[in-house]
Amino acid sequence: MNPRRTFEDQLQDLMEDGPAEAPSPLLDTILGAFPAIPQRRGATRFPWRTPRMHGYARVLAGMAVVVVVGSAALIVASGQLPAGVGGVGGPPSNSPAIAASPAPASSGPASATPSVGTSLEPTVAPTIGPCAVAQLAARITLWEGAAGHRIAHVELTNQGPSPCLEQATAKPQLVDGRDTILIDGVAPSGSDTLTLAGGAILTTLVQDGNYCGPAPVAPVTVAFVLADGGRIVATPLSPTDATVPPCLGAAGSAGDIEMHPWAP
């Protein structure tokens, strides 16, 4: 038995006895895919089917049909049809694919946004008022004499914890141990204002002269009448100090007293 003849006979029987027309879906798929299948040059010159085919011509024709059918089957099975063939895929796009950019990572917690309509009230600094007499203390630290005058060195201390306002000048007085006014000064017509912090100290000099009155009662000291009517009496340098400036005029003549402005 000739194996080649047997194979040719079987192939001929397959081609003659097989169906004359493939199913429509399969035929459409094969015809659409056939141009995309690489082929040897000149292959399309052979007729699809000839009335008389002998020998190797039949073998080659049968193998071509098997290759086309097998390729089409593989294309249909894998779903890799060319774009637009058999309804698979869509029309080719000329626009390049744009990769989606990932959202930027947050570098920190989101900042809190103030609610709409929220009003921020400004911080109001506490108001500083005038110094009260009760929070002030004065004392004489030194007496000096010069050309018929006596000069007292005086300290003024804010004994309170809070700052207050103090006039730089006041009306000075020379007084004795009974609070008798020996020499009365003149109230200032105007004065600067100083801010006296809690525990802070101001200093001044008080000069008096020409005392022609009766002998004073110890201790002699000075006092200050404030603009609001308050009065501060300084602690005397000594409880036995009764010294006053000498009388340089007629008996009963008025003396004089004045102060330097308070200063830190």
Side-chain angles (χ1 to χ4, degrees):
M1 182 179 295
N2 190 348
R4 180 182 300 176
R5 186 59 184 167
T6 301
F7 176 76
E8 292 178 355
D9 293 342
Q10 292 177 359
L11 183 59
Q12 181 67 28
D13 294 340
L14 176 62
M15 296 177 63
E16 292 179 356
D17 297 339
E21 184 178 357
S24 296
L26 179 60
L27 182 59
D28 293 340
T29 300
I30 295 173
L31 293 177
F34 184 79
I37 299 174
Q39 310 225 359
R40 293 179 58 186
R41 295 185 59 182
T44 55
R45 297 178 183 177
F46 294 96
W48 183 259
R49 188 171 183 180
T50 58
R52 298 181 62 184
M53 299 181 106
H54 301 283
Y56 286 107
R58 294 181 181 179
V59 174
L60 293 177
M63 291 179 65
V65 172
V66 172
V67 169
V68 171
V69 174
S71 300
L74 289 177
I75 293 174
V76 173
S78 61
Q80 296 179 354
L81 289 176
V85 177
V88 180
S93 175
N94 295 328
S95 301
I98 301 177
S101 301
S106 176
S107 60
S111 59
T113 303
S115 59
V116 178
T118 302
S119 60
L120 301 178
E121 297 182 357
T123 302
V124 179
T127 303
I128 301 177
C131 296
V133 173
Q135 72 183 105
L136 299 175
R139 71 186 185 96
I140 297 176
T141 60
L142 178 65
W143 276 107
E144 290 183 311
H149 291 79
R150 295 190 78 202
I151 302 173
H153 294 247
V154 184
E155 286 184 352
L156 180 69
T157 303
N158 179 7
Q159 300 181 115
S162 301
C164 60
L165 302 176
E166 179 62 25
Q167 298 295 318
T169 57
K171 176 183 176 180
Q173 295 175 333
L174 183 67
V175 299
D176 67 2
R178 294 179 180 177
D179 201 21
T180 300
I181 299 175
L182 305 177
I183 302 176
D184 199 9
V186 178
S189 58
S191 175
D192 294 333
T193 302
L194 302 176
T195 300
L196 186 59
I201 298 175
L202 300 176
T203 62
T204 187
L205 297 176
V206 179
Q207 177 179 285
D208 57 31
N210 193 40
Y211 178 69
C212 298
V217 176
V220 174
T221 186
V222 295
F224 303 91
V225 180
L226 306 180
D228 60 359
R231 188 167 179 264
I232 302 171
V233 179
T235 303
L237 180 63
S238 169
T240 61
D241 182 15
T243 305
V244 292
C247 178
L248 301 177
S253 61
D256 62 86
I257 185 171
E258 61 183 6
M259 70 172 290
H260 289 251
W262 294 107

